[in-house]
Amino acid sequence: MAVKGKSADHQWVDDHAGPVVRPYAVTGGRARPVTGTFDLISLVTATRRDVSPEPGLGPEHLAIVGLCQRMQSVAEIAAHLDLPVGTVRVLLGDLVARNLVQIREPHRAVGVSDHSIFEAVIHGLRAL
Amino acid sequence: MDYGHSERPSEAAILPTAIKILVAGGFGAGKTTLVGAVSETRPLRTEEVLTESGVGIDDISGVEAKRTTTVAMDFGRITISDDLVLYLFGTPGQDRFWFVWDELALGAIGAVVLADTRRLADCFPSIDYFEERDTPFLVAVNCFEGARQYRLDEVQAALNLDPEVPVLLCDARRRESAKEVLISLVEHALKLREARRRVG
Ligand SMILES: Nc1nc2c(ncn2[C@@H]2O[C@H](COP(=O)(O)OP(=O)(O)OP(=O)(O)O)[C@@H](O)[C@H]2O)c(=O)[nH]1
Ligand SMILES: [Mg+2]
């Protein structure tokens, strides 16, 4: 599980595309989660206080459980662990399959009746 | 919005309402700066994995053989209250990462298109994108030093914008200015919603 060596593996494709990472080193070559779909703002909460290392769980899995003692969005997890979102999704799939985290969707402002939400956002921003 | 503070369920049980706003614009237009200026978190960058060919991860076969590229996008959060959170996503500056945009745009209430008057045409693709998808957006003209000052109506005309699309000046480095841009966008999105409801 080579997170530490990651930067050493970076090679630049071009100025815009960013670094090339060793393919799926963290996920053991897997591109897709074993279960679930994870939106960037899906919310992840750990179901346990901590997990002891066990086969199939790497340090990144444990780090996610640690981070998600408080509810976190998928995007935040990716940013905090400095991992690509695609990688985090795979790791989350593993954790969901083991019941170590719970995924919930936030409410969305979609209905026509939720103008009050927009107003709350406007007031909230003004008050910042 | 307020579920009452006396009998609050355990913290884990509160599911907030999430509002998603995109920050788009051409290369170097100030997207990262704007997201960082208003976000309560330190500027976070989230990376999406891409294959070399620039297609979605679902299309990967023979994974071991392939290298992947990452594309950075900015991410910020503003907690308005326990039950209301605003997420900001700065889109990748490159048009060839459209599929990342599609994911980001899903469920977004609106978008800020940052315009750099030295390279106004750079924001055309963003504008086209949001116009096509009927996503409410506004144009925030970032005032870079040394750039010729345009009047807002000149920008509006140059970008061939619908007259109802707000165009405003901003300094993405300043929190107050960035906040004002977001407030204008939410107001605009709300106005469009109300108008659409009256029509349909
Ligand atoms: N004068 C001035 N400079 C700004 C403003 N906004 C951003 N800058 C500067 O412009 C440069 C580019 O800003 P970024 O926020 O990195 O732009 P970006 O859109 O994220 O760029 P890419 O991600 O590379 O497409 C930085 O050096 C900023 O400090 C502004 O409102 N006024
Ligand atoms: Mg940037």
Side-chain angles (χ1 to χ4, degrees):
Chain A
M1 294 274 154
V3 201
K4 240 173 63 206
K6 206 179 94 184
S7 54
D9 295 324
H10 282 176
Q11 281 181 19
W12 294 87
V13 185
D14 61 42
D15 290 347
H16 302 152
V20 169
V21 294
R22 271 236 316 279
Y24 308 100
V26 176
T27 64
R30 293 167 303 146
R32 258 177 285 192
V34 285
T35 179
T37 54
F38 306 96
D39 190 89
L40 282 165
I41 60 174
S42 293
L43 296 165
V44 186
T45 317
T47 57
R48 295 210 215 143
R49 208 171 275 286
D50 61 332
V51 213
S52 34
E54 53 180 277
L57 292 185
E60 294 80 10
H61 291 102
L62 306 187
I64 292 177
V65 172
L67 197 58
C68 295
Q69 294 300 309
R70 284 191 56 215
M71 194 157 61
Q72 304 277 336
S73 64
V74 172
E76 278 163 294
I77 296 170
H80 280 295
L81 299 186
D82 199 17
L83 287 172
V85 177
T87 304
V88 168
R89 288 188 168 116
V90 174
L91 299 175
L92 285 172
D94 300 341
L95 292 170
V96 167
R98 290 166 192 247
N99 259 322
L100 292 173
V101 297
Q102 192 187 18
I103 312 291
R104 290 181 304 173
E105 298 309 316
H107 303 293
R108 309 283 179 114
V110 280
V112 277
S113 59
D114 49 29
H115 288 185
S116 63
I117 293 175
F118 282 64
E119 270 144 23
V121 173
I122 293 165
H123 292 309
L125 284 171
R126 286 226 170 88
L128 277 186
Chain B
M1 278 319 305
D2 198 328
Y3 299 125
H5 288 251
S6 50
E7 272 195 302
R8 166 153 298 194
S10 71
E11 198 210 1
I14 300 171
L15 274 182
T17 297
I19 302 284
K20 198 152 99 173
I21 289 179
L22 305 188
V23 179
F27 222 53
K31 302 177 290 290
T32 304
T33 306
L34 185 125
V35 172
V38 279
S39 177
E40 68 199 25
T41 52
R42 71 192 157 85
L44 300 179
R45 281 157 52 99
T46 310
E47 308 212 317
E48 188 76 50
V49 173
L50 291 172
T51 65
E52 261 174 305
S53 53
V55 291
I57 51 172
D58 282 353
D59 298 306
I60 289 176
S61 49
V63 158
E64 296 79 9
K66 286 209 177 171
R67 287 189 165 273
T68 55
T69 5
T70 58
V71 53
M73 55 199 177
D74 306 299
F75 170 70
R77 192 188 62 202
I78 301 172
T79 305
I80 297 203
S81 64
D82 283 350
D83 40 33
L84 187 55
V85 182
L86 183 64
Y87 292 104
L88 297 175
F89 287 99
T91 58
Q94 284 263 301
D95 307 350
R96 64 187 154 115
F97 301 136
W98 284 128
F99 80 92
V100 178
W101 283 58
D102 287 342
E103 177 175 1
L104 293 177
L106 201 69
I109 63 153
V112 172
V113 175
L114 280 166
D116 173 349
T117 50
R118 297 166 301 182
R119 289 168 296 182
L120 211 49
D122 283 8
C123 64
F124 286 156
S126 307
I127 289 172
D128 290 344
Y129 184 90
F130 297 123
E131 276 178 349
E132 266 165 41
R133 280 160 188 79
D134 251 347
T135 305
F137 71 96
L138 58 68
V139 174
V141 180
N142 220 347
C143 310
F144 288 92
E145 281 105 30
R148 163 161 124 65
Q149 299 296 307
Y150 289 84
R151 290 198 321 271
L152 292 179
D153 59 320
E154 288 179 296
V155 175
Q156 181 126 27
L159 295 177
N160 194 17
L161 291 172
D162 198 291
E164 73 182 4
V165 174
V167 180
L168 44 123
L169 293 174
C170 85
D171 184 332
R173 298 164 302 179
R174 286 184 43 237
R175 183 178 152 90
E176 281 307 308
S177 178
K179 239 173 69 178
E180 212 43 59
V181 169
L182 295 181
I183 292 169
S184 304
L185 173 66
V186 181
E187 284 174 343
H188 177 57
L190 177 58
K191 218 170 84 187
L192 287 183
R193 260 177 189 240
E194 279 167 347
R196 277 171 202 173
R197 190 175 53 168
R198 274 196 298 275
V199 172

